[in-house]
Amino acid sequence: MSDAVVVALIGLCGSGAGSLFGVLMSSKLTQYRLEQLEKRVQAHNNLIERTYKLEERTELQEEKIKVANHRIDDLAKRSEG
């Protein structure tokens, strides 16, 4: 084999190895970023769930306050009358 063919084969092997290494590293980076994004989405979803529960509790407490105020008004009217 001539020197040019040997150099070409070595260059081909180097290019192939470099390309493969680049693809593997890119894949690992993409996988890492997806995992981080999934964690952030899960944290956001947990926040939304907690906010929804707090809103339900707030509505319940407001309803209880309304009922208590009506009861106080009824007792006040009864004591006046």
Side-chain angles (χ1 to χ4, degrees), residues 34-52:
L34 281 173
E35 288 172 1
Q36 297 303 311
L37 182 59
E38 287 172 354
K39 288 179 184 177
R40 293 177 77 185
V41 167
Q42 185 61 36
H44 174 75
N45 288 343
N46 287 340
L47 177 65
I48 296 299
E49 289 175 15
R50 288 178 31 215
T51 302
Y52 179 72

Side-chain angles (χ1 to χ4, degrees), residues 64-80:
K64 286 182 179 180
I65 290 171
K66 286 180 185 177
V67 169
N69 285 336
H70 285 300
R71 180 73 176 135
I72 290 170
D73 290 342
D74 289 345
L75 290 173
K77 288 178 186 176
R78 192 180 295 170
S79 68
E80 291 174 0

